[in-house]
Amino acid sequence: MKKLKIVLFTLIPFLGLLLLQSACSTFSLKKEVQTQPVLPAFDVSTMDQSIKPGDDFYLYVNGNWIKNNPVPEDRVSIGAFRDVYDMNQNMIETLLQNAAQDLKAHPSSVKGQTGAYFYSGMDSLKIHSLGLEPLIKTQTQVIKTDSPEDIVKTLSWYHRHFISPGFNISFYEDPKNTELVIVHIGQSGLGLPEREYYVGTSERLEEIRNEYVSFLAQIFMAMNYDKIRSTEAAFNVMAIETRLAKASMNIVDRRDPQKTYHKMTLDSLKTLIPNMNWDIYLKGLGLDYSGYYNVHQPEFLKEFNTMLTDVSSQAWYDYFAWNLNDRTAHYLPDSVNELHFNFFSRYLSGQQKMEPRLKRVLNNSNWVLGDMLAQVYVETYFPPEAKNKMTELTANLKTALQHRIEKAEWMTEETRQKALSKLSTMRIKIGYPDKWEDYSGLKLTRDDYFGNYLSILEYNFNIEKKKAGNAPDPEEWFMPAHVVNAYYSPLGNEVVFPAGILLPPFFNLNADDPVNYGGIGVVIGHEMTHGFDDHGRQYDENGILNDWWTDKDGEQFEARAKKLVEQYNQYVVIDTFRINGNLTLGENIADLGGVNVAFDALQLAKKNKKYRNIDGFTPDQRFFLGFAQIWRTNMKDETLIRRVMEDEHSPAHFRVIGPLENVDAFYQAFNIQPGDKMYRPQHERIVIW
């Protein structure tokens, strides 16, 4: 399991780990490994051609699919990403089922480790027979809160397992010296998804806070607190989290890397937080580090410092107990799992029914097993021809972006040359890393799901902490190779496309090029453009946080970005909930750039290859059809509202119509005219890259 750098930009928000119901503890017979399925490049039956493409291209392409695919009770959303995710999960299930039944695999081998983890997760009889014993035993051994020193010792145990009450700790490059990995300290410690849930004044948020306290009381009762103590503990947790939330930086400001950079020595940290014994904390982490720190939110830590002495010992105990329960709920019996599901999934997100244990264990395996699972996945499923095709696509995309930068009329030559230099040094990683993390020292057993999880967390922390004070490894990946996603890292100036996303409809070896350029091509262009969005543009070719723009170019960029903010602010998603154009700006710039760059790359490809019309659509039209189909989504209203509040990505509908309203080639391909709802006059169309 990799801990993602805070500064990574991903294509989609991560699919949450659902805390769902249990099934039987037996396995099916050993499954045959299957190849990737053969699917059509584009299925015209998904379209609603009663809708004009210029009125709503998203519904024109996906309307029939949306009508015919309601969200099942055990999901909060379905769509192209979920289809690929499910396809991937079926492939991973085969690998894990077979690994779990291979009793001859060496315990320290990746097959032995993945098999042990999966077996322990599927053994519901064992999990239920243990009850809350693993939780209570750990809680009793670990949580001590009689003094600030005890609290710090407890805190270090949690952080050593990448559980982050109070604040979080991570290890990656100094944004202003990317040749050095340093220690980062940032705000954390909230049980609800985001700061706004605690400080917002809407009727819905007030209701959520009341429901959250009731839920916490139920959790504590399940942990053998009596009714009075459960209520008291719930209010204790809510009070602590509310104070942390009020001191937290808001979600928009956190996007600004300048606002989250505060270089400090250890002595400075001790001065900032005098009530915390940093020597005890670092010793508890086993962290031998003499370098400097980046404190992302000093004001938050000042409040945490005050809370160390004026929050009661009992309240801290309750808070730590809740954090352990919250992080490990999936590894406990259904009595706890169902409480979490009822609040976070059913109430907050609208999911009415839990998936079976098999699906839950697979969901958790994706990130928890990390490189262990990725190695087996790549060996089995990722064909060399897929990597070769992706290499060709990325080369064309990079050339197309180069041409767009060269032709950007608003840039001065000085800044243009620096932008081109950044693009030329941008690294592309495809499929999987050249070397894997070494997990041979990790001990997992087939009868301790709870313990296996904590062991993996601590093992990963020990891997991460060794990086502090050293040069970063340029070959390291920050996302497992089997995951359905992609990312851009400004610190490494690199884009990464894991093998997991290289499946239809994003990437289809059997598809015509226009559809692939509209799918994975746009994904590639999206990630490349992140290097030049409102956040990524602040990092130079070496990944250093450095203002390499002239004042004039910076002003020109901001003026165009402001127009994009205003465009997206106008989109009403549901009821009174609108897109936050400032929050989603980076992703919206990348979406717009991704479409423009991928379309230009297709035109480059057309010089060397002739494409035919298919299903009555021209190659250029099929590009846009391929683009729109990757965002087809049906989502529960509750989840949609959460996405608007929490997510830096615009909802799927607007990831299609938002960019296309500004793309001249779209107007030409589908003859978009004045009077069409998506029509914007030429002078109002926004062009950044």
Side-chain angles (χ1 to χ4, degrees):
M1 181 184 67
K2 293 286 187 185
K3 186 174 178 65
L4 277 176
K5 297 179 185 178
I6 294 173
V7 290
L8 293 182
F9 301 103
T10 57
L11 179 69
I12 56 169
F14 296 108
L15 294 165
L17 304 181
L18 303 178
L19 306 178
L20 309 172
Q21 74 185 17
S22 173
C24 66
S25 60
T26 58
F27 292 107
S28 62
L29 294 175
K30 186 171 183 176
K31 300 178 69 175
E32 293 298 322
V33 174
Q34 299 178 358
T35 58
Q36 296 179 5
V38 177
L39 297 175
F42 180 80
D43 184 356
V44 294
S45 70
T46 67
M47 302 177 70
D48 184 350
Q49 297 190 56
S50 69
I51 297 173
K52 291 177 64 177
D55 282 346
D56 191 321
F57 193 70
Y58 176 81
L59 293 179
Y60 169 73
V61 175
N62 300 308
N64 281 350
W65 182 91
I66 291 171
K67 293 174 187 175
N68 296 324
N69 292 273
V71 183
E73 289 188 341
D74 62 352
R75 303 281 180 88
V76 296
S77 68
I78 56 173
F81 272 99
R82 184 71 202 215
D83 289 345
V84 176
Y85 179 79
D86 288 343
M87 191 187 311
N88 221 24
Q89 291 298 85
N90 289 336
M91 295 156 66
I92 289 170
E93 178 190 347
T94 300
L95 299 178
L96 292 177
Q97 293 273 25
N98 292 346
Q101 294 180 69
D102 187 352
L103 301 180
K104 296 180 180 179
H106 194 279
S108 65
S109 69
V110 291
K111 193 170 186 181
Q113 291 164 329
T114 56
Y117 176 86
F118 186 69
Y119 188 95
S120 69
M122 289 302 297
D123 192 355
S124 59
L125 296 180
K126 179 68 174 181
I127 292 170
H128 294 151
S129 69
L130 290 173
L132 294 182
E133 179 185 338
L135 176 73
I136 301 302
K137 181 179 179 181
T138 304
Q139 178 179 311
T140 302
Q141 292 175 343
V142 169
I143 304 177
K144 311 293 181 186
T145 59
D146 290 338
S147 67
E149 288 74 20
D150 285 341
I151 294 172
V152 170
K153 290 178 182 177
T154 302
L155 197 67
S156 67
W157 183 92
Y158 276 74
H159 289 183
R160 197 169 70 242
H161 292 81
F162 277 131
I163 306 173
S164 301
F167 61 87
N168 65 44
I169 182 170
S170 52
F171 311 91
Y172 57 89
E173 299 97 311
D174 175 1
K176 297 192 176 183
N177 176 15
T178 53
E179 295 300 313
L180 181 67
V181 174
I182 64 171
V183 178
H184 295 258
I185 304 291
Q187 68 188 42
S188 185
L190 306 183
L192 289 171
E194 178 53 50
R195 175 185 186 272
E196 187 65 18
Y197 285 82
Y198 296 88
V199 301
T201 58
S202 72
E203 183 177 338
R204 169 64 175 165
L205 291 177
E206 290 178 1
E207 176 192 290
I208 287 173
R209 289 192 286 269
N210 290 332
E211 290 293 329
Y212 182 54
V213 172
S214 297
F215 156 69
L216 289 172
Q218 294 176 58
I219 287 292
F220 283 109
M221 289 187 69
M223 294 166 61
N224 299 324
Y225 284 45
D226 64 34
K227 187 173 182 179
I228 294 176
R229 273 289 295 121
S230 294
T231 301
E232 178 187 29
F235 280 107
N236 283 341
V237 171
M238 188 60 174
I240 289 176
E241 291 183 358
T242 300
R243 287 186 63 172
L244 293 175
K246 289 180 177 179
S248 295
M249 183 180 288
N250 69 53
I251 194 170
V252 174
D253 285 344
R254 292 204 305 274
R255 293 193 65 253
D256 187 338
Q258 299 289 354
K259 291 182 179 179
T260 57
Y261 187 84
H262 306 89
K263 183 177 175 180
M264 293 187 182
T265 64
L266 180 57
D267 286 341
S268 299
L269 264 179
K270 291 178 177 178
T271 300
L272 181 70
I273 316 177
N275 293 331
M276 178 167 165
N277 190 317
W278 283 91
D279 295 328
I280 290 177
Y281 175 73
L282 296 174
K283 182 179 180 181
L285 296 180
L287 179 60
D288 182 14
Y289 176 70
S290 57
Y292 56 88
Y293 298 72
N294 178 28
V295 177
H296 291 219
Q297 297 92 10
E299 294 303 314
F300 174 88
L301 289 182
K302 288 180 182 178
E303 176 65 5
F304 178 75
N305 177 69
T306 302
M307 293 170 65
L308 282 171
T309 55
D310 69 6
V311 171
S312 71
S313 169
Q314 185 61 65
W316 276 120
Y317 191 97
D318 296 336
Y319 175 69
F320 282 121
W322 154 240
N323 272 264
L324 184 62
N325 183 299
D326 185 37
R327 188 59 180 271
T328 62
H330 171 73
Y331 299 84
L332 298 170
D334 288 349
S335 58
V336 174
N337 252 322
E338 289 172 356
L339 292 175
H340 281 256
F341 173 83
N342 287 337
F343 179 76
F344 288 107
S345 297
R346 179 176 285 124
Y347 173 69
L348 273 190
S349 301
Q351 182 179 342
Q352 297 305 308
K353 183 180 178 182
M354 294 187 289
E355 289 181 313
R357 171 167 289 274
L358 172 62
K359 297 296 185 183
R360 274 187 292 136
V361 176
L362 288 172
N363 289 338
N364 281 271
S365 298
N366 278 324
W367 287 97
V368 174
L369 290 177
D371 269 8
M372 290 178 278
L373 177 55
Q375 290 180 64
V376 184
Y377 178 92
V378 167
E379 290 171 1
T380 309
Y381 292 123
F382 193 62
E385 57 266 32
K387 189 164 187 172
N388 295 336
K389 185 68 173 177
M390 277 291 293
T391 300
E392 175 188 333
L393 281 167
T394 54
N396 284 343
L397 266 292
K398 203 169 186 180
T399 299
L401 180 53
Q402 175 187 328
H403 290 170
R404 295 193 72 86
I405 293 173
E406 289 172 343
K407 293 186 293 185
E409 50 85 20
W410 54 272
M411 294 189 79
T412 64
E413 197 60 30
E414 180 182 349
T415 303
R416 188 192 320 278
Q417 290 306 315
K418 292 178 180 178
L420 290 171
S421 178
K422 179 173 183 177
L423 178 63
S424 69
T425 58
M426 184 180 288
R427 300 182 61 191
I428 312 294
K429 296 178 178 178
I430 299 170
Y432 53 90
D434 292 331
K435 61 180 180 180
W436 302 102
E437 203 71 73
D438 179 14
Y439 283 90
S440 59
L442 177 64
K443 307 298 182 185
L444 302 179
T445 69
R446 295 166 69 86
D447 62 355
D448 188 2
Y449 195 38
F450 185 95
N452 284 342
Y453 178 55
L454 293 182
S455 294
I456 293 171
L457 291 177
E458 186 167 23
Y459 194 92
N460 275 290
F461 182 84
N462 288 334
I463 289 174
E464 293 295 307
K465 74 180 182 184
K466 292 176 183 177
K467 300 173 184 176
N470 297 309
D473 179 0
E475 301 306 318
E476 183 178 13
W477 283 44
F478 297 95
M479 186 179 286
H482 57 276
V483 166
V484 182
N485 215 324
Y487 71 84
Y488 171 74
S489 169
L491 293 175
N493 191 26
E494 62 184 18
V495 290
V496 180
F497 305 101
I501 198 173
L502 303 180
L503 292 170
F506 299 97
F507 178 67
N508 189 336
L509 278 172
N510 303 300
D512 53 308
D513 282 353
V515 170
N516 269 335
Y517 274 93
I520 198 65
V522 172
V523 171
I524 296 167
H526 173 103
E527 298 305 337
M528 288 181 176
T529 305
H530 267 315
F532 304 94
D533 70 11
D534 65 310
H535 187 154
R537 79 177 188 88
Q538 299 184 58
Y539 299 82
D540 66 18
E541 63 187 64
N542 298 311
I544 296 174
L545 187 58
N546 171 38
D547 188 3
W548 49 272
W549 294 62
T550 65
D551 290 342
K552 180 181 178 181
D553 288 316
E555 291 170 1
Q556 289 285 340
F557 180 92
E558 293 297 336
R560 284 162 171 74
K562 182 179 179 181
K563 291 180 180 178
L564 205 62
V565 170
E566 293 168 351
Q567 175 189 342
Y568 280 82
N569 279 342
Q570 299 306 310
Y571 292 135
V572 178
V573 178
I574 183 173
D575 299 332
T576 60
F577 290 90
R578 294 176 179 266
I579 293 177
N580 182 334
N582 285 306
L583 173 62
T584 58
L585 178 59
E587 295 298 329
N588 296 336
I589 291 173
D591 282 345
L592 176 56
V595 174
N596 280 325
V597 172
F599 185 83
D600 286 0
L602 174 61
Q603 306 315 302
L604 292 175
K606 287 165 91 175
K607 294 179 180 179
N608 301 314
K609 186 176 180 180
K610 187 174 182 179
Y611 301 109
R612 62 188 177 89
N613 292 0
I614 301 175
D615 293 327
F617 295 102
T618 68
D620 286 357
Q621 288 176 327
R622 284 180 65 78
F623 168 88
F624 291 108
L625 297 177
F627 163 62
Q629 79 167 340
I630 70 174
W631 294 115
R632 65 184 181 220
T633 303
N634 254 342
M635 183 175 288
K636 293 290 181 66
D637 288 351
E638 295 90 339
T639 298
L640 188 56
I641 291 171
R642 285 191 61 180
R643 289 286 175 87
V644 173
M645 292 181 59
E646 304 167 25
D647 194 1
E648 294 182 359
H649 304 77
S650 296
H653 194 147
F654 304 95
R655 296 191 76 168
V656 174
I657 66 172
L660 294 188
E661 287 183 8
N662 298 301
V663 176
D664 290 345
F666 167 68
Y667 285 72
Q668 295 162 9
F670 286 93
N671 192 30
I672 310 303
Q673 297 293 323
D676 291 339
K677 294 178 182 178
M678 290 180 63
Y679 181 86
R680 295 167 69 93
Q682 180 74 50
H683 69 278
E684 292 183 7
R685 296 173 201 168
I686 302 162
V687 179
I688 301 178
W689 302 112

